[in-house]
Every structure is written in C-alpha cells, then in structure tokens.
Amino acid sequence: MSELTALTAAELATKIHTREVTSVEVTRAHLDRIAQADGEYHAFLHVSADQALEAAAAVDSALESGQQPASPLAGVPLALKDVFTTTDMPTTCGSKMLEGWVAPYDATLTARLRAAGIPILGKTNLDEFAMGSSTENSAYGPTRNPWDTSRIPGGSGGGSAAALASNQAPLAIGTDTGGSIRQPAAVTATVGTKPTYGTVSRYGLVACASSLDQGGPCGRTVLDTALLHEVIAGHDPRDSTSREAPVPSVVAAARAGVGGDLRGVRVGVVRELHSDSYQPGVLASFDAAVAVLKELGAEVVEVSCPHFEHALAAYYLILPSEVSSNLARFDAMRYGLRVDDDGKHSADQVMSATRAAGFGPEVKRRIMIGTYALSAGYYDEYYGQALKVRTLISRDFDEAYRTVDVLVSPTSPFTPWKLGEKVDDPLAMYLSDLCTLPTNLAGHPAMSVPSGLSADDGLPVGFQIMAPAMADDRLYRVGAAYEAARGPIA
Ligand code: GLN
C-alpha cells in the first residue's frame, strides 16, 4: 500500500500545499489503491479516474502559479455517496430505477467540493435510496467491511465508510436520515458527523425523507471530518430548509480539542440509550470512553430522556410516509427506468411495471407502509401520532440540554454482524438504529468516534456524541479531545 494512502487528509493537504507532493500523485495513489483493493470491498459503484486526475492537475497548476489553495483541503481526494447529483458521473442511489442516470446539474454539495479543489474519486455504494443499515439493500451488491469481509460495513453509507477504512479515500461524504453516517462510521472504526439539520444543502441530494435527510462529512480523524464539514456547510438559497445562521467553527473546535482538557464541559449519559440488550463489548467500550472523558476533566452525569424509547416506532412511520411521497416521482415518465415492452400499455400499466421492476424489496416495503400510514382514516392514528412523539423527543433533548452541554451513548448497540444475518428480519435490522434516530427526529447534530475494538469479538465500536442544534462545534471539541486521549485503536 502506498504510504500516501495511509496519511490523514490534514497531512496530505499540508504536503500538497507546501509542494512536497502533488495532488496528482496523491489522487493517483488512491486510484491505484482502489484498482487493487476494491474488488474485495465493493465500496465504489463508479470510479472517475480521469475527472479526478484532471481536478487534481488543476489544483497543482494553481499552486504552481503561486495562488493560495482554494480551501484547506484543496487537492485532497474524496469519495462521494452515490445519492448526490454529479454531471460527470452517474447517480444511481444504489437502485435499478436510476441505473446509468446522469443528472443535468451538480448538487450544491458537489459544486462546493469542486470549488474547494477536492478531486472526486467516484461514487460510493449504499442501501437503495439510503434505506437500510447494512448496504445489503444496494441493487448492485453489498459492500464488505474492511475489518472482516464476511461482515456488513453498516448502512446506508457503507461504501463511504469502507472506502475510508480501507484507505481508498482519505475523505468521504455520507447522508444521515436515521444514522447512515454514524452507524457505518461506528462499525468501520471511522469518524462521521451528522450536522445540524439545514446546515448542509439538500439541493441535488436525492430525497429519502426530507424532514430528516442531512449530508455530512466522514473521515478517519476528527480533525479531517471538521475540515470537510466546513467545506460543505453553509446557507443555500436553493434549499428551502437551509439555515441562514453562520456555521459553527468546527475546525477551531477540533484543533482546540486535540490535546486539550474537558474541564467545565458537562456530559450527559442517556439512561435510555444504555441497555442490557446491547452487546456487552459495546457497553464496556462505551463505559471506557466515558471514563476517558472524566479523566479529561468533564463532569459526567446521567440524564433521562423518557420518550427516546418511542423513537424507533415514530421514525419508522415518519420515514416511510415521506418516502412514499418522495419516491412517487419515479413514475417512468420523466427519467430513470421505463418498462414498456411493446408501447401498447397505458400510463398506469407502465408505471406499475416500472416500479415493480425498479425498486427492491425494502424500498417497496417502506412505500407500502408509508402509503398506508398516510391514507385517509389512518393518518391521525399513525402519522399524526408519530409527529407528536417527535415533538416529545425534541422536548426531552431540550430538557437534557438545560443541564448538560453534550449527550453521549454508544452509536450502535452492536458491532458489525455477518452479511446475510439480518436480511430476512427487517425489525432486527431497524434495531441497530436505536441510538442514532433521536437526533434525526430533533434535527440535532451528532458524531460517531471510534472507541476501540469490542472485547467480545475484536470488532469496531463507535462512541456517539450529541449536541443541541447549531452547537456542532461541541461535538468536535469533545470528539477531538477524546480521540487524542484514547490513542490509536488497533
Ligand atoms: N438505517 C436507517 C434506515 O434504514 C437510516 C437510514 C439513513 O440514515 N439514510 O432508515
């Protein structure tokens, strides 16, 4: 493995900006690594070697001519979850419905990456339309966990997490609707942040559940993740849910966190996200992480968020309801797949044949649940009730943040399970989202940082840090201090 692929994004940026190496060399090293390793992991659905090298060469020539780097990450390549539109690569969302589809415009996030001089190596695998926790719902085959290729890399953003964990990319982008950045980060020992809802543009992000979806940064270190966070966050008039408030200074917070103490920081351990039903090795790793925070001077208290136990039920009504509405656009009329064998069928018949062929079983399940939950007579009973629970969960958070600065929990109750183990049991799969869902329902930011390997099975465990809306910087301060004190995990 080339040495360059083992470096952090911050280290690579320094080397590129001081002209010790070129962006082309760095990008080529990652493309070589992909060519050599991705047959085993299947993190990428599409690799874009020529465009990535072209973008890298443009960074190099700008630096050569004496220009300042376009951003602190200029020249450092990245893997993009295949749910953001790109004009020069297909956007499939892991679905047959969009096989080969090339969008006519770049997502705002894509445009920001390009403007920041970040070469895009390719598009990463995901559960179809970002629904799942294992990447096994991809229509293009699963991604494998680099720690143990017989195991899942998490989901839905398993491709991005696996690309990082196998040194195929130093940076990656994910999306988090119910945990799809954080749970893959947890099970691959990488870092991932779901920013405050509305701070990263959803323009050009193919919608899963619009009131929950949020793009976010993934890296192998807290600082790298912070650097990427600042590149992608910021107001976008093209997204009606975009916030106008300035993005918190997460890079400064991460730098302050490294080697810093946590005196004066109040940390709440959420009682309802610490259960005997979790894997013992996960709980032990979590307790060890909390002990590190205490050693760093944080004041740790237990807090109760009584409605969190209903988060799973509420989420799995709200998400399918929004999905059933959002995915209605795949109607075989405007773009994507169209099943119309002889051109003699009605629009209804074409639509139904196309949707039957184009969507996989999990997507169909959620469309059916959502359609039912929104139907006349059931709307109040299901969707309406779920919205009330959502409000109660937000109030639990508000109450907790009256006394603490951040909340912590395990990111996932389990370490990565075997491929195939839960594919026939959707409820078992949903249970892996227990700890991540509350923050999506509240629109708050949260991060997963590796807390080591489980004593049960030697597999990665993630530590989740949560903060109030627009206090993303707290995640980075606590995360970076913890990461530095924890030391290398393996
Ligand atoms: N695992 C969750 C689900 O299946 C989360 C998905 C996501 O965050 N995109 O819905």
Side-chain angles (χ1 to χ4, degrees):
M1 195 189 303
S2 151
E3 255 178 54
L4 288 176
T5 60
L7 298 180
T8 67
E11 289 165 344
L12 289 170
T14 305
K15 283 185 189 292
I16 293 167
H17 301 168
T18 57
R19 314 284 299 134
E20 191 185 326
V21 293
T22 63
S23 173
V24 166
E25 285 167 331
V26 170
T27 303
R28 203 183 293 281
H30 286 93
L31 290 167
D32 289 349
R33 171 76 185 140
I34 294 169
Q36 171 235 332
D38 207 42
E40 196 178 356
Y41 304 123
H42 191 41
F44 286 89
L45 291 176
H46 181 88
V47 177
S48 178
D50 292 346
Q51 289 102 318
L53 289 168
E54 228 172 85
V59 171
D60 290 334
S61 62
L63 292 172
E64 220 162 281
S65 67
Q67 287 176 36
Q68 286 301 307
S71 78
L73 289 174
V76 183
L78 168 145
L80 180 60
K81 189 177 183 181
D82 196 18
V83 70
F84 285 98
T85 57
T86 41
T87 52
D88 55 353
M89 288 174 251
T91 300
T92 69
C93 301
S95 180
K96 290 284 175 203
M97 193 58 101
L98 287 177
E99 190 164 16
W101 180 64
V102 180
Y105 66 97
D106 272 341
T108 296
L109 180 137
T110 307
R112 279 178 171 265
L113 295 173
R114 296 196 205 276
I118 295 178
I120 301 173
L121 296 165
K123 307 285 286 283
T124 56
N125 200 8
L126 68 154
D127 286 299
E128 185 173 7
F129 288 107
M131 292 177 229
S133 309
S134 68
T135 315
E136 292 164 296
N137 297 337
S138 167
Y140 303 99
T143 297
R144 293 173 179 276
N145 191 320
W147 288 84
D148 174 348
T149 52
S150 71
R151 293 180 186 271
I152 60 107
S156 62
S160 284
L164 289 170
S166 56
N167 288 0
Q168 299 188 66
L171 296 169
I173 292 289
T175 60
D176 196 312
T177 303
S180 287
I181 288 176
R182 290 163 286 159
Q183 183 257 12
V187 301
T188 58
T190 56
V191 179
T193 301
K194 179 199 108 61
T196 298
Y197 181 79
T199 55
V200 173
S201 171
R202 292 186 302 108
Y203 180 78
L205 162 61
V206 179
C208 176
S210 312
S211 77
L212 300 158
D213 296 341
Q214 191 59 193
C218 309
R220 285 193 295 266
T221 68
V222 173
L223 177 61
D224 286 359
T225 309
L227 289 162
L228 184 57
H229 191 136
E230 281 193 12
V231 167
I232 60 173
H235 178 62
D236 179 10
R238 286 171 156 158
D239 172 358
S240 63
T241 56
S242 175
R243 286 191 182 234
E244 286 198 45
V247 178
S249 307
V250 295
V251 173
R255 289 197 198 282
V258 180
D261 66 35
L262 292 177
R263 274 178 293 181
V265 177
R266 288 163 306 166
V267 176
V269 173
V270 184
R271 189 185 304 153
E272 288 76 10
L273 299 181
H274 194 283
S275 152
D276 288 345
S277 64
Y278 295 6
Q279 193 176 316
V282 167
L283 291 175
S285 178
F286 173 73
D287 293 343
V290 170
V292 171
L293 299 189
K294 281 187 191 156
E295 276 162 35
L296 288 167
E299 184 193 322
V300 180
V301 293
E302 191 181 86
V303 300
S304 175
C305 296
H307 299 97
F308 280 20
E309 61 174 300
H310 305 300
L312 193 84
Y315 172 87
Y316 278 101
L317 278 170
I318 293 170
L319 175 130
S321 299
E322 294 190 24
V323 159
S324 73
S325 158
N326 271 329
L327 271 58
R329 67 175 57 114
F330 300 106
D331 59 3
M333 299 298 143
R334 288 168 290 185
Y335 52 84
L337 184 69
R338 179 183 175 96
V339 177
D340 185 12
D341 302 339
D342 52 12
K344 289 188 187 137
H345 291 95
S346 69
D348 264 3
Q349 285 167 329
V350 171
M351 207 180 291
S352 118
T354 301
R355 289 168 68 83
F359 290 137
E362 182 63 23
V363 171
K364 285 180 185 158
R365 177 170 17 250
R366 297 199 194 190
I367 290 175
M368 286 188 276
I369 294 172
T371 307
Y372 183 78
L374 291 178
S375 59
Y378 294 105
Y379 185 95
D380 288 341
E381 208 171 321
Y382 293 112
Y383 186 66
Q385 282 295 95
L387 289 185
K388 286 180 193 159
V389 171
R390 187 175 191 171
T391 303
L392 292 172
I393 288 168
S394 290
R395 287 193 194 148
D396 279 357
F397 272 118
D398 293 346
E399 190 58 35
Y401 289 129
R402 265 190 238 274
T403 51
V404 298
D405 302 304
V406 294
L407 293 169
V408 293
S409 76
T411 307
S412 165
F414 325 108
T415 56
W417 56 91
K418 291 266 187 196
L419 285 156
E421 199 180 312
K422 299 189 187 186
V423 279
D424 296 324
D425 188 350
L427 285 180
M429 188 81 83
Y430 299 167
L431 282 174
S432 73
D433 306 332
L434 265 181
C435 304
T436 48
L437 300 174
T439 45
N440 297 84
L441 290 168
H444 291 173
M447 169 192 282
S448 182
V449 192
S451 61
L453 303 178
S454 164
D456 324 293
D457 53 16
L459 292 165
V461 183
F463 181 59
Q464 179 175 234
I465 309 166
M466 299 167 262
M470 300 312 282
D472 306 47
D473 50 332
R474 292 185 200 170
L475 307 174
Y476 286 95
R477 172 162 176 221
V478 175
Y482 167 68
E483 174 186 63
R486 181 210 62 205
I489 56 161

